């Protein structure tokens, strides 16, 4: 049986299991997240067997009661792709949800999906039915409830974050009560859970909007990096023929953000009578892992990668792909395998009118840092009127930035200082930073970027007075 991402981030914990046995003590369980910097011993790791008949709900209640009696924190996760221990709690109960199940309400354009169902599993189920998620996270390895809990966005346009396409969900609170939440029922709780990082309860399932799967054709253009927002926003916000869109910028230090590629996807006319099955071969990545990794420590490789991408632009016009194939991208396509380095993500949400200023901030702050800047992808995020911890109160350009960091105290200090400086500049532009990544921003910065954070913390204490659900993000910014 192949080792899954979930398995890779959980290990039985004496360094050698035999050591614990020889000493007559039980082996501890250590869990980690995608940063590989947060090895965390937990008291218990529980994986329920999902049962739509409700039997697993009783088992979950028992787990919550036991943890509350032992005063252990509880954290729920799926792929644990967060990077700052938002899905971990030392000496707590870690719950990993899996065992997917689905129900389709075609008449209303809805799919009910179990909390731990990954997007790859959801696409595999929807694809033969000619359907596609309206919005999902931009990689398919992650669980649906986790996407809701971080209120991730994707690259279909002109939509807002994922919560904008969630009609309702069911959640189990700390006392075992199950509530159905939507914009019309338990609406306050719904808005708290959308981007609430699992701090309110355990999501059981969600009703999410689906849309027809289509064959799409890409159209790409090259332009100066400073002009990206002026070209991007009219296409993604006001051109109804555009279905999906993203941009990239040059990342070599001496030419940082000088140049841009803007790619949009439109439905082909006519549509094929039969669409090919969804693939996961990296239709969006457009670059091999080997080429991607060669950029680390080599400014020449960064420049050559950019030349290769821009020279391939004329050929991109023939790269037909279905909507599902474009979204069915696994993280593994560009996974890091180096033992002494780790990939760290940043994401900033920038008012389009201030994009030039954001570009300059990055040019001031990133090149002097030791971390290797290896990619930035630009996406559109429509206004979010649902989440209390809202990062896009108005339309934003999302800059998803990937760095390669040395696994050392020096590498961590360098990353912290660079992150804090970038966050400060983005807040000054009226933007925000994304919370699932390293917790390097200061507490005051988090509260300025998320002005309803104090209200969120107060209502969390209302719904979870015993503070059963807590993790590093709560401790750093909200406790």
């Amino acid at each position: 049986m192949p080792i899954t991402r979930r398995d890779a981030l959980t290990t039985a914990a004496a360094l050698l299991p035999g050591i614990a046995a020889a000493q007559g003590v039980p082996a501890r369980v250590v869990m980690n997240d995608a940063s590989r910097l947060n090895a965390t011993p937990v008291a218990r790791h529980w994986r329920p067997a999902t049962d739509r008949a409700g039997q697993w709900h009783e088992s979950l209640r028992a787990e919550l009661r036991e943890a509350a009696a032992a005063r252990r924190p509880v954290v729920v996760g799926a792929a644990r792709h967060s990077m700052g221990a938002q899905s971990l709690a030392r000496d707590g109960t870690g719950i990993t949800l899996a065992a997917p199940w689905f129900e389709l309400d075609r008449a209303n354009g809805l799919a009910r999906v179990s909390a731990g169902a990954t997007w790859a599993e959801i696409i595999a189920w929807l694809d033969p039915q000619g359907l596609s998620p309206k919005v999902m996270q931009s990689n398919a390895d992650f669980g649906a409830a986790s996407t809701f809990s971080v209120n991730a966005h994707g690259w279909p346009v002109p939509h807002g974050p994922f919560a904008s396409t969630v009609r309702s969900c069911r959640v189990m609170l700390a006392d075992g009560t199950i509530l159905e939440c939507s914009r019309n029922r338990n609406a306050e709780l719904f808005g708290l859970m959308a981007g609430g990082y699992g701090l309110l309860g355990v999501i059981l399932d969600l009703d999410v909007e689906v849309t027809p799967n289509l064959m799409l054709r890409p159209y790409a253009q090259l332009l100066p990096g400073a002009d990206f927002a002026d070209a991007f926003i009219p296409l993604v916000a006001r051109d109804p023929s555009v279905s999906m869109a993203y941009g990239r910028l040059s990342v070599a230090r001496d030419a940082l953000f000088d140049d841009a590629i803007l790619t949009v996807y439109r439905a082909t006319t006519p549509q094929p009578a039969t669409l090919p099955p969804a693939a996961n071969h990296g239709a969006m990545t457009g670059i091999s892992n080997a080429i991607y990794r060669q950029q680390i420590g080599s400014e020449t490789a960064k420049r050559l990668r950019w030349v290769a991408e821009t020279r391939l632009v004329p050929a991109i016009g023939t790269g037909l792909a279905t909507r599902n194939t474009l979204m069915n991208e696994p993280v593994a396509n560009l996974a890091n395998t180096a033992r002494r380095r780790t990939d760290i993500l940043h994401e900033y949400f920038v008012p389009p009118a201030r994009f030039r200023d954001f570009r300059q901030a990055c040019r001031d702050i990133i090149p002097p840092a030791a971390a290797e800047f290896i990619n930035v992808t630009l996406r559109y995020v429509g206004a979010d009127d649902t989440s209390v911890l809202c990062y896009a109160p108005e339309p934003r350009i999302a800059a998803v930035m990937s760095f390669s960091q040395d696994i050392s105290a020096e590498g961590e200090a360098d990353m912290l200082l660079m992150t804090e400086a970038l966050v400060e500049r983005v807040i000054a532009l009226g933007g925000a930073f994304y919370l699932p990544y390293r917790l390097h921003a200061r507490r005051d910065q988090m509260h300025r970027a998320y002005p309803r954070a104090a209200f969120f913390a107060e209502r969390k204490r209302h719904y979870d007075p015993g503070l059963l659900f807590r993790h590093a993000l709560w401790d750093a910014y909200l406790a």
Side-chain angles (χ1 to χ4, degrees), residues 232-302:
F232 188 58
I233 295 302
L235 283 171
V236 297
R238 296 191 285 275
D239 184 344
S241 73
V242 174
S243 176
M244 305 178 79
Y246 70 95
R248 290 210 177 97
L249 299 168
S250 54
V251 298
R253 282 180 165 89
D254 61 357
L256 190 68
F257 293 4
D258 278 359
D259 301 306
I261 303 176
L262 195 170
T263 304
V264 301
Y265 284 81
R266 294 182 171 94
T268 61
T269 304
Q271 284 285 299
T274 303
L275 295 177
N280 64 354
H281 51 62
M284 185 202 173
T285 304
I287 185 172
S288 73
N289 191 302
I291 293 174
Y292 191 72
R293 294 290 151 196
Q294 285 173 1
Q295 298 177 103
I296 298 170
S298 174
E299 295 302 300
T300 298
K302 292 176 186 177

Side-chain angles (χ1 to χ4, degrees), residues 58 166 202 207 216 219 229 336 384 426:
E58 288 304 318
V166 176
V202 181
D207 289 338
L216 303 177
Y219 300 85
N336 170 50
D384 173 16
V426 169

Side-chain angles (χ1 to χ4, degrees), residues 280-460:
N280 64 354
H281 51 62
M284 185 202 173
T285 304
I287 185 172
S288 73
N289 191 302
I291 293 174
Y292 191 72
R293 294 290 151 196
Q294 285 173 1
Q295 298 177 103
I296 298 170
S298 174
E299 295 302 300
T300 298
K302 292 176 186 177
R303 288 190 290 270
L304 289 175
R305 175 210 162 175
W306 187 251
V307 169
E309 279 197 87
T310 55
R311 286 182 178 174
L312 286 172
V313 166
I316 289 176
T318 63
L320 298 179
T322 67
R323 196 176 191 277
N324 280 340
T325 288
L326 290 170
M327 294 198 294
N328 200 28
E329 183 91 7
V331 172
N333 281 354
L334 294 178
N336 170 50
T337 58
R339 297 185 63 181
R340 298 184 180 277
R341 300 193 69 86
T342 185
D343 288 356
I344 297 298
L345 295 177
H346 292 201
E347 186 164 356
Y348 300 100
F349 303 98
V350 183
R354 305 301 302 273
F355 184 78
R356 282 187 173 85
D357 296 319
F358 169 73
R359 174 179 173 270
Q360 187 58 50
C362 292
R363 287 157 66 94
D364 292 342
I365 294 167
I366 293 175
E372 291 285 352
F373 186 29
I374 53 179
N375 192 63
V376 57
T377 299
L378 303 171
R379 303 191 184 110
Y380 175 80
V381 184
D384 173 16
D385 62 0
T386 299
S387 176
V388 172
L389 292 180
C390 170
Y391 54 74
E394 301 292 339
R396 295 288 186 256
I397 294 176
V400 185
M401 305 165 76
S402 183
F403 296 86
S404 175
Q405 173 194 322
D406 186 51
I407 298 178
S408 67
E410 293 80 4
E412 185 72 349
D414 171 76
M415 182 62 70
L416 186 154
L417 292 172
M418 180 183 66
T419 305
E420 186 176 296
L422 283 169
V423 166
E424 190 64 26
R425 292 282 287 271
V426 169
I427 292 173
L429 301 177
F433 66 99
Y434 203 20
L435 294 173
Y437 301 133
R438 301 291 289 152
L439 302 175
H440 288 330
R442 301 190 309 269
R443 185 183 178 104
D444 71 283
Q445 290 177 320
M446 187 273 182
H447 283 254
R448 283 187 285 137
Y450 293 86
R452 300 188 72 195
F455 171 78
F456 176 91
E458 185 273 321
R459 298 314 291 162
K460 184 268 196 299

Side-chain angles (χ1 to χ4, degrees), residues 20-239:
Q23 294 177 343
V25 298
R28 300 185 75 189
V29 173
V30 173
M31 304 183 75
N32 212 329
D33 60 26
S35 72
R36 296 162 54 204
L37 297 172
N38 291 308
T40 302
V42 299
R44 180 164 167 74
H45 181 208
W46 184 62
R47 300 171 183 243
T50 302
D51 181 350
R52 280 181 288 177
Q55 293 179 5
W56 86 282
H57 297 168
E58 288 304 318
S59 299
L60 176 59
R61 285 191 182 95
E63 288 292 328
L64 298 184
R65 284 195 300 269
E66 179 186 345
R71 304 185 66 81
R72 291 198 307 264
V74 172
V75 183
V76 184
R80 288 188 165 79
H81 191 68
S82 58
M83 295 186 171
Q86 297 90 338
S87 58
L88 303 167
R90 186 177 181 89
D91 298 324
T93 294
I95 297 176
T96 298
L97 300 179
W101 59 263
F102 317 99
E103 295 174 354
L104 180 62
D105 179 358
R106 187 181 289 272
N108 291 303
L110 293 175
R112 174 162 288 188
V113 301
S114 57
T118 67
W119 290 108
E121 292 164 340
I122 294 168
I123 287 173
W125 170 68
L126 287 174
D127 196 61
Q129 304 180 76
L131 297 171
S132 181
K134 183 174 281 188
V135 172
M136 57 166 271
Q137 212 161 339
S138 60
N139 289 100
D141 312 63
F142 314 130
S146 298
T147 299
F148 185 62
S149 294
V150 302
N151 202 16
H153 64 88
W155 53 299
V157 297
H159 306 293
F162 174 58
S164 67
T165 65
V166 176
R167 294 277 188 88
S168 65
C169 65
R170 289 191 300 162
V171 60
M172 183 179 291
L173 301 181
D175 64 2
T177 301
I178 294 177
L179 296 178
E180 183 169 342
C181 303
S182 68
R183 289 168 182 80
N184 301 315
R185 188 173 184 183
N186 296 306
E188 179 185 69
L189 185 56
F190 186 77
L192 291 163
M193 290 191 304
Y197 292 82
L199 289 168
L200 282 300
V202 181
I203 296 170
L204 307 176
D205 48 57
L206 308 94
D207 289 338
V208 303
E209 295 178 11
V210 296
T211 193
N213 189 26
L214 297 170
M215 182 66 74
L216 303 177
R217 182 187 300 278
Y219 300 85
Q221 61 177 297
L222 305 178
L223 63 159
D227 297 338
F228 179 82
D230 294 337
F232 188 58
I233 295 302
L235 283 171
V236 297
R238 296 191 285 275
D239 184 344

